[in-house]
Amino acid sequence: MSGVYARRMPRIAVLAASAALASATTLLSAPTAQAAMPTPVSAATARTYLSQLTVQAEGSSSGYSRDKFPHWITQSGTCNTREVVLKRDGSNVQQDSSCAAVSGSWYSEYDGATWSAASDVDIDHMVPLSEAWKSGASGWTTAQRQSFANDLTRPQLIAVTDNVNQSKSDQDPSTWLPPRTSYRCTYVRAWVQVKYYYKLTVDSAEKSAISSVLNGC
């Protein structure tokens, strides 16, 4: 385009052309879009929620079994909860006729690793099932525990590196936080939101650790 022609273009057309070019440049330089778990409440809201949680010593794990939290239930068609989260949290995920992820990539927020095989990814329960049991879920019905274990509405399920998830196990934030420190604020906000929604308790060490992270958010 010549300079003379450019000067004679109506100003609105020049602006439109510039916007279109900027948009195209952004599309070319941006990474492939990736969905994620529902965004947790703000740090301010999390602090309010935390102040309203009942603080008491962690209960007993007696009677606990993962089977008491029926999980990876069918969500639609042949897709269960795990497969729905794999699709949601991944990029360019392709599924076969049985809904199994056969290709794609997954970025693990906990450690910053990216994986190209679904077998390298676990679906973590933000608030672990055992932790929930010891925080009040032992008194729930099986239906309530099933809803908790398959909750896609709140920030309770996230696809992460399998061995990082296994290192977390059923620990609360007083003994385990994501190794990727920049994600810790999001992590505890999600933790508090889930505990608040399900009216679960926190122990004093857990509350102190969460408060410490939230104060830096």
Side-chain angles (χ1 to χ4, degrees), residues 108-185:
S108 170
E109 294 284 6
Y110 286 2
D111 59 335
T114 299
W115 303 97
S116 58
S119 59
D120 290 323
V121 178
D122 276 358
I123 307 305
D124 180 42
H125 288 95
M126 180 64 63
V127 175
L129 305 183
S130 174
E131 167 69 21
W133 178 269
K134 293 178 287 187
S135 303
S138 60
W140 293 352
T141 65
T142 299
Q144 288 173 313
R145 289 194 286 264
Q146 176 175 294
S147 294
F148 174 83
N150 297 276
D151 189 350
L152 295 167
T153 303
R154 279 148 288 278
Q156 165 65 347
L157 299 172
I158 184 172
V160 295
T161 302
D162 55 1
N163 60 3
V164 175
N165 180 48
Q166 290 153 24
S167 74
K168 171 185 172 179
S169 186
D170 63 352
Q171 299 178 81
D172 69 39
S174 68
T175 54
W176 191 93
L177 287 166
R180 181 170 163 252
T181 55
S182 61
Y183 194 69
R184 290 179 178 178
C185 179

Side-chain angles (χ1 to χ4, degrees), residues 20-105:
L21 178 60
S23 178
T25 302
T26 300
L27 288 173
L28 288 172
S29 60
T32 303
Q34 176 169 317
M37 72 174 187
T39 302
V41 295
S42 68
T45 298
R47 283 190 283 269
T48 298
Y49 283 0
L50 183 62
S51 71
Q52 295 173 13
L53 292 178
T54 298
V55 179
Q56 66 181 48
E58 205 166 69
S60 170
S61 60
S62 177
Y64 167 73
S65 167
R66 286 179 66 85
D67 293 339
K68 293 184 177 180
F69 291 79
H71 53 289
W72 307 165
I73 61 172
T74 299
Q75 293 291 341
S76 64
T78 59
C79 299
N80 66 27
T81 307
R82 171 181 164 81
E83 290 148 354
V84 169
V85 177
L86 283 173
K87 176 75 171 178
R88 182 197 71 187
D89 289 5
S91 297
N92 302 317
V93 177
Q94 299 298 315
Q95 297 171 309
D96 63 19
S97 59
S98 65
C99 206
V102 293
S103 65
S105 65

